[in-house]
Coordinates of all heavy atoms in Angstrom, one line a residue:
V1 N 111.9 81.5 106.0 CA 113.3 81.9 105.7 C 114.0 82.5 106.9 O 115.2 82.2 107.1 CB 113.2 83.0 104.6 CG1 114.6 83.5 104.2 CG2 112.5 82.5 103.3
G2 N 113.3 83.3 107.7 CA 113.9 83.8 108.9 C 114.5 85.2 108.8 O 113.9 86.1 108.2
K3 N 115.7 85.3 109.2 CA 116.4 86.7 109.3 C 116.3 87.5 108.0 O 116.0 88.7 108.1 CB 117.8 86.5 109.7 CG 118.5 87.8 110.0 CD 120.0 87.5 110.5 CE 120.7 88.9 110.8 NZ 122.0 88.6 111.3
A4 N 116.5 86.9 106.9 CA 116.6 87.7 105.6 C 115.3 88.3 105.2 O 115.3 89.3 104.5 CB 117.1 86.8 104.5
T5 N 114.2 87.7 105.6 CA 112.8 88.2 105.2 C 112.0 88.7 106.3 O 110.9 89.2 106.0 CB 112.1 87.0 104.5 OG1 112.0 85.9 105.4 CG2 112.7 86.6 103.2
W6 N 112.5 88.7 107.5 CA 111.7 89.0 108.7 C 111.1 90.4 108.6 O 109.9 90.7 108.8 CB 112.5 88.8 109.9 CG 111.7 88.7 111.2 CD1 111.7 89.6 112.2 CD2 110.8 87.7 111.6 NE1 110.9 89.2 113.2 CE2 110.3 88.0 112.8 CE3 110.3 86.6 110.9 CZ2 109.4 87.2 113.5 CZ3 109.4 85.8 111.6 CH2 109.0 86.1 112.9
A7 N 112.0 91.4 108.3 CA 111.5 92.8 108.2 C 110.5 93.0 107.1 O 109.4 93.7 107.3 CB 112.7 93.8 108.0
H8 N 110.7 92.4 106.0 CA 109.8 92.5 104.9 C 108.4 91.8 105.2 O 107.4 92.3 104.8 CB 110.4 91.8 103.6 CG 109.5 91.9 102.4 ND1 108.7 90.9 101.9 CD2 109.4 93.0 101.6 CE1 108.1 91.3 100.8 NE2 108.5 92.6 100.6
S9 N 108.5 90.7 105.9 CA 107.2 90.1 106.3 C 106.4 91.0 107.2 O 105.1 91.1 106.9 CB 107.5 88.8 107.1 OG 108.1 87.8 106.3
F10 N 106.9 91.7 108.1 CA 106.2 92.6 109.0 C 105.7 93.8 108.3 O 104.6 94.4 108.6 CB 107.0 92.9 110.2 CG 106.9 91.9 111.3 CD1 107.8 90.8 111.3 CD2 106.0 92.0 112.3 CE1 107.7 89.8 112.3 CE2 105.8 91.0 113.3 CZ 106.7 89.9 113.3
S11 N 106.5 94.3 107.3 CA 106.1 95.5 106.6 C 105.0 95.2 105.5 O 104.4 96.1 105.0 CB 107.3 96.1 105.9 OG 107.8 95.3 104.9
S12 N 104.8 93.9 105.3 CA 103.9 93.5 104.2 C 102.5 93.1 104.7 O 101.6 92.8 103.9 CB 104.5 92.3 103.4 OG 105.7 92.7 102.8
V13 N 102.3 92.9 106.0 CA 101.1 92.4 106.5 C 100.2 93.6 107.0 O 100.7 94.6 107.6 CB 101.3 91.4 107.7 CG1 101.9 92.1 108.9 CG2 100.0 90.7 108.0
K14 N 98.9 93.5 106.7 CA 98.0 94.6 107.0 C 97.6 94.6 108.5 O 97.9 93.7 109.3 CB 96.7 94.5 106.2 CG 95.9 93.3 106.5 CD 94.5 93.3 105.7 CE 94.7 93.4 104.3 NZ 93.3 93.3 103.5
R15 N 96.9 95.6 108.9 CA 96.4 95.7 110.3 C 95.5 94.5 110.6 O 94.7 94.1 109.8 CB 95.6 97.0 110.5 CG 96.5 98.2 110.6 CD 95.7 99.4 111.2 NE 96.6 100.5 111.6 CZ 96.4 101.4 112.5 NH1 95.3 101.3 113.2 NH2 97.3 102.3 112.8
G16 N 95.7 93.9 111.8 CA 95.0 92.8 112.2 C 95.4 91.5 111.5 O 94.8 90.4 111.7
G17 N 96.5 91.5 110.8 CA 97.0 90.4 110.0 C 97.9 89.5 110.9 O 98.1 89.7 112.1
T18 N 98.4 88.4 110.2 CA 99.1 87.4 110.9 C 100.4 87.1 110.2 O 100.4 87.0 108.9 CB 98.3 86.1 111.0 OG1 97.1 86.4 111.8 CG2 99.1 85.0 111.8
V19 N 101.5 86.9 110.9 CA 102.8 86.4 110.4 C 103.0 85.0 111.0 O 103.0 84.9 112.2 CB 104.0 87.3 110.7 CG1 105.3 86.7 110.2 CG2 103.8 88.7 110.1
V20 N 103.0 84.0 110.1 CA 103.2 82.6 110.6 C 104.6 82.2 110.2 O 105.0 82.3 109.1 CB 102.2 81.7 110.0 CG1 102.3 80.3 110.6 CG2 100.8 82.2 110.1
T21 N 105.4 81.7 111.2 CA 106.7 81.4 111.0 C 107.0 79.9 111.4 O 106.5 79.5 112.4 CB 107.7 82.3 111.7 OG1 109.1 81.9 111.5 CG2 107.4 82.4 113.2
M22 N 107.9 79.3 110.7 CA 108.2 77.9 111.0 C 109.7 77.6 110.6 O 110.1 76.4 110.8 CB 107.3 76.9 110.4 CG 107.1 76.9 108.9 SD 108.6 76.6 107.9 CE 109.0 74.9 108.4
G23 N 110.4 78.5 110.1 CA 111.7 78.2 109.6 C 112.7 79.3 109.8 O 112.4 80.5 110.1
M24 N 114.0 79.0 109.6 CA 115.1 80.0 109.9 C 116.3 79.6 109.1 O 117.4 79.6 109.5 CB 115.4 79.9 111.4 CG 115.7 78.5 111.9 SD 115.9 78.4 113.7 CE 116.2 76.6 113.8
T25 N 116.1 79.4 107.8 CA 117.1 79.0 106.9 C 118.2 80.1 106.8 O 119.4 79.7 106.4 CB 116.6 78.6 105.5 OG1 115.9 79.7 105.0 CG2 115.7 77.4 105.6
T26 N 117.9 81.3 107.0 CA 118.9 82.4 106.9 C 119.3 82.9 108.3 O 120.0 84.0 108.4 CB 118.4 83.5 106.0 OG1 117.3 84.1 106.6 CG2 118.1 83.1 104.6
G27 N 118.9 82.3 109.3 CA 119.2 82.7 110.7 C 118.0 82.9 111.6 O 117.0 83.3 111.1
R28 N 118.2 82.5 112.9 CA 117.1 82.5 113.8 C 117.1 83.8 114.7 O 116.1 84.0 115.4 CB 117.2 81.3 114.7 CG 118.4 81.2 115.6 CD 118.3 79.9 116.4 NE 119.4 79.9 117.4 CZ 119.4 79.0 118.4 NH1 118.5 78.0 118.5 NH2 120.4 79.0 119.2
R29 N 118.1 84.6 114.7 CA 118.1 85.8 115.5 C 117.6 86.9 114.7 O 118.2 87.3 113.7 CB 119.6 86.1 116.0 CG 120.2 84.9 116.8 CD 119.6 84.8 118.1 NE 120.3 83.8 118.9 CZ 120.0 83.4 120.1 NH1 118.9 83.9 120.7 NH2 120.6 82.4 120.7
V30 N 116.5 87.5 115.1 CA 115.9 88.6 114.4 C 115.5 89.8 115.3 O 115.4 89.5 116.6 CB 114.6 88.2 113.6 CG1 114.9 87.1 112.6 CG2 113.5 87.7 114.6
E31 N 115.3 90.9 114.8 CA 114.9 92.1 115.5 C 113.4 92.4 115.2 O 113.0 92.3 114.0 CB 115.8 93.3 115.3 CG 117.2 93.1 115.8 CD 118.0 94.4 115.7 OE1 117.4 95.4 115.1 OE2 119.2 94.4 116.0
V32 N 112.6 92.8 116.1 CA 111.2 93.2 115.9 C 111.0 94.5 116.5 O 111.2 94.7 117.7 CB 110.3 92.1 116.5 CG1 108.8 92.5 116.3 CG2 110.5 90.7 115.9
D33 N 110.4 95.4 115.7 CA 109.9 96.7 116.2 C 108.5 96.5 116.8 O 107.6 96.2 116.1 CB 109.9 97.7 115.1 CG 109.5 99.1 115.6 OD1 109.0 99.2 116.8 OD2 109.6 100.1 114.8
L34 N 108.4 96.5 118.1 CA 107.2 96.2 118.8 C 106.0 97.2 118.5 O 104.9 96.9 118.6 CB 107.4 96.1 120.3 CG 108.1 94.8 120.7 CD1 108.3 94.9 122.3 CD2 107.4 93.6 120.3
L35 N 106.4 98.5 118.2 CA 105.3 99.5 118.0 C 104.3 99.1 116.9 O 103.1 99.1 117.2 CB 106.0 100.8 117.7 CG 105.0 102.0 117.6 CD1 104.2 102.2 118.9 CD2 105.7 103.3 117.2
P36 N 104.8 98.7 115.7 CA 103.8 98.3 114.7 C 103.0 97.0 115.1 O 101.9 96.9 114.7 CB 104.6 98.2 113.4 CG 106.0 98.1 113.8 CD 106.1 98.8 115.1
V37 N 103.7 96.2 115.8 CA 103.0 95.0 116.2 C 101.8 95.3 117.1 O 100.7 94.8 117.0 CB 104.0 94.0 117.0 CG1 103.2 92.8 117.5 CG2 105.1 93.5 116.0
I38 N 102.1 96.3 118.0 CA 101.0 96.7 119.0 C 100.0 97.5 118.3 O 98.8 97.3 118.3 CB 101.7 97.5 120.1 CG1 102.6 96.6 120.9 CG2 100.6 98.1 121.0 CD1 103.5 97.3 121.9
V39 N 100.4 98.6 117.5 CA 99.5 99.5 116.9 C 98.6 98.8 115.8 O 97.4 99.0 115.7 CB 100.2 100.7 116.3 CG1 99.3 101.6 115.5 CG2 100.9 101.5 117.4
N40 N 99.3 97.9 115.1 CA 98.5 97.2 114.0 C 97.9 95.9 114.4 O 97.3 95.2 113.6 CB 99.5 97.0 112.8 CG 100.0 98.2 112.2 OD1 99.3 99.2 112.1 ND2 101.2 98.2 111.7
Q41 N 98.0 95.6 115.7 CA 97.4 94.4 116.3 C 97.7 93.2 115.5 O 96.8 92.4 115.1 CB 95.9 94.6 116.4 CG 95.5 95.8 117.3 CD 94.0 95.9 117.4 OE1 93.3 95.1 118.0 NE2 93.4 97.0 116.9
L42 N 99.0 93.0 115.3 CA 99.5 91.8 114.5 C 99.5 90.6 115.4 O 99.8 90.7 116.6 CB 100.8 92.1 113.9 CG 101.0 93.4 113.0 CD1 102.4 93.5 112.5 CD2 99.9 93.3 111.9
T43 N 99.3 89.5 114.8 CA 99.5 88.2 115.4 C 100.8 87.5 114.8 O 100.9 87.5 113.6 CB 98.3 87.3 115.2 OG1 97.1 87.8 115.8 CG2 98.5 85.9 115.8
V44 N 101.6 87.1 115.7 CA 102.8 86.3 115.3 C 102.7 84.9 115.8 O 102.6 84.7 117.0 CB 104.1 87.0 115.9 CG1 105.3 86.2 115.4 CG2 104.2 88.4 115.5
A45 N 102.6 84.0 114.9 CA 102.3 82.6 115.3 C 103.5 81.7 114.8 O 103.8 81.6 113.6 CB 101.0 82.1 114.6
G46 N 104.0 81.0 115.8 CA 105.0 80.0 115.5 C 104.4 78.6 115.4 O 103.4 78.4 116.1
T47 N 104.9 77.7 114.6 CA 104.3 76.4 114.5 C 105.4 75.4 114.0 O 106.4 75.8 113.5 CB 103.1 76.4 113.5 OG1 102.4 75.2 113.7 CG2 103.5 76.6 112.1

């Protein structure tokens, strides 16, 4: 989905989890808070 769901995707994944993205139907420009990505050791995978 992209922009509209991006924040919810990151708030919904557990520590050590993965967010896999391949689309941007609601927009490709998103903001990411890097602190939870680092602290929770998240993987962000584009494909």
Side-chain angles (χ1 to χ4, degrees):
V1 179
K3 185 176 181 179
T5 55
W6 198 244
H8 185 258
S9 291
F10 276 86
S11 67
S12 300
V13 67
K14 65 171 57 172
R15 285 196 169 207
T18 301
V19 176
V20 187
T21 178
M22 54 64 58
M24 50 187 181
T25 56
T26 61
R28 65 179 185 172
R29 303 288 183 183
V30 299
E31 293 185 0
V32 178
D33 183 350
L34 288 177
L35 183 59
V37 175
I38 296 167
V39 172
N40 294 327
Q41 301 183 65
L42 303 181
T43 297
V44 182
T47 191

